[in-house]
Amino acid sequence: MLLRVSLPSSAPFILTGVRLAAGVALILTVSTEIVAGRGEGIGVFIFFAGIAVPARMTDILAGVFWVGLFGVAVNALLVWVERRAFRWHHEQLGERA
């Protein structure tokens, strides 16, 4: 009963939770890098561009743009996986895949 009914019916919602968690993880990763100011990540790049005299606004915006683009790409990938793996769920809801 668990493998044939409960798990398949809850799997789309589990993957939606993974999509939400991926967005939160990206936000936390970048903000932790900004606060810590260590390493070589995009958050550190944004941080050092912000404290430079004069502040390099184009570099800050470029860093934020790339973080946003990465977030959109990860979300699109997970939506694609969800639609491919759970095609039956979207057909049941009346959505087109």
Side-chain angles (χ1 to χ4, degrees):
M1 177 135 168
L2 175 69
L3 294 177
R4 292 184 183 257
V5 177
S6 296
L7 190 59
S9 64
S10 63
F13 303 106
I14 293 170
L15 194 57
T16 300
V18 170
R19 279 181 41 217
L20 292 172
V24 171
L26 180 63
I27 292 168
L28 290 176
T29 301
V30 172
S31 61
T32 302
E33 287 178 356
I34 289 172
V35 170
R38 295 188 181 139
E40 296 181 11
I42 191 77
V44 176
F45 174 79
I46 294 169
F47 174 73
F48 283 125
I51 64 170
V53 178
R56 298 184 317 243
M57 188 57 66
T58 55
D59 290 345
I60 296 170
L61 292 176
V64 171
F65 172 77
W66 285 110
V67 169
L69 191 64
F70 180 71
V72 168
V74 168
N75 187 54
L77 176 68
L78 289 173
V79 166
W80 180 79
V81 167
E82 180 180 0
R83 289 190 180 269
R84 296 281 290 177
F86 306 118
R87 187 173 307 219
W88 54 269
H89 178 71
H90 293 285
E91 289 173 359
Q92 183 180 11
L93 293 175
E95 298 174 3
R96 297 175 78 179

